[in-house]
């Protein structure tokens, strides 16, 4: 199976290569242009902005919540019918020390809000929370 993409690529190895190249370039921009510094770290709204930025040239669903159920290995991510509630609850989770931040990140991994790119996306989101909250402790 290959995800429909804006690049018109139909070969999975080529899509993986282009996706990596483009999303890495975009990730560098997020840091270098100071875009992350302007985000409200730890909110779903910021995760959505990061996803849109990383993947907008590649996928139509960039920044959009998934509309399918997803699993990896034996693990099922949040069922679609609970996803929006889960995201609202995660927004309210505290993030004032290292353990709270990691707990929040774990819950966001379980939510897995996007069809693809959740790992890369949420690692940058985590970085944003750690820098903004932890550095100031
Ligand atoms: N079996 C599992 N149980 C729970 N979470 C998992 C499992 N396998 C992978 N994950 C999580 O899913 C993420 C991958 O999801 P997805 O493919 O949407 O993101 P990605 O950015 O394309 O991948 P990657 O994180 O490998 O760069 C991993 O980074 C990890 O956080
Ligand atoms: Mg992936």
């Amino acid at each position: 199976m290959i995800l429909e993409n804006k690049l018109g690529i139909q070969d999975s190895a080529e899509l993986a290569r282009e996706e990596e190249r483009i999303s890495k370039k975009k990730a560098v921009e997020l840091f270098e242009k100071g875009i992350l510094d302007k985000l409200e770290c730890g909110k779903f709204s910021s995760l959505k902005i990061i996803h849109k930025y990383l993947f907008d040239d590649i996928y139509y669903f960039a920044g959009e919540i998934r509309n399918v159920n997803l699993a990896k290995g034996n693990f099922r991510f949040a069922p679609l019918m609970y996803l929006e509630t889960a995201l609202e609850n995660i927004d309210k989770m505290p993030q004032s020390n290292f353990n709270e931040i990691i707990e929040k990140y774990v819950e966001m991994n379980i939510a897995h809000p996007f069809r693809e790119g959740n790992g890369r996306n949420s690692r940058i989101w985590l970085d944003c929370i750690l820098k903004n909250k932890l550095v100031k402790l």
Side-chain angles (χ1 to χ4, degrees):
M1 187 214 71
I2 175 156
L3 284 173
E4 188 189 3
N5 60 85
K6 291 184 175 179
L7 308 168
I9 294 173
Q10 289 178 6
D11 173 77
S12 62
E14 191 189 347
L15 178 61
R17 224 172 17 247
E18 279 303 289
E19 200 209 53
E20 181 176 344
R21 187 181 65 77
I22 295 169
S23 62
K24 276 185 175 165
K25 193 180 74 179
K26 295 288 187 129
V28 171
E29 284 178 21
L30 275 173
F31 286 90
E32 291 188 344
K33 292 189 175 174
I35 299 167
L36 294 175
D37 303 332
K38 297 185 192 106
L39 298 181
E40 202 185 345
C41 294
K43 298 288 182 196
F44 175 66
S45 57
S46 60
L47 190 74
K48 190 174 156 77
I49 291 170
I50 299 168
H51 195 270
K52 175 103 176 142
Y53 199 88
L54 291 178
F55 297 108
D56 204 27
D57 291 348
I58 308 166
Y59 295 122
Y60 296 100
F61 58 73
E64 302 297 330
I65 293 183
R66 61 182 158 87
N67 53 16
V68 289
N69 283 315
L70 282 182
K72 272 190 198 291
N74 291 323
F75 191 77
R76 287 166 202 250
F77 298 109
L80 210 47
M81 64 182 298
Y82 300 126
L83 182 53
E84 293 209 21
T85 311
L87 293 172
E88 284 165 19
N89 290 333
I90 295 168
D91 262 18
K92 293 180 211 143
M93 287 179 75
Q95 46 186 33
S96 55
N97 59 48
F98 186 73
N99 284 340
E100 285 180 358
I101 293 171
I102 298 308
E103 241 178 83
K104 192 161 181 163
Y105 172 72
V106 167
E107 287 303 319
M108 191 55 93
N109 182 55
I110 294 168
H112 228 70
F114 304 101
R115 176 67 187 81
E116 179 55 64
N118 292 282
R120 284 164 284 178
N121 191 35
S122 57
R123 286 190 291 272
I124 294 176
W125 185 74
L126 172 65
D127 194 87
C128 181
I129 309 175
L130 289 172
K131 270 197 201 139
N132 275 272
K133 302 287 174 183
L134 226 44
V135 169
K136 291 172 193 154
L137 286 181

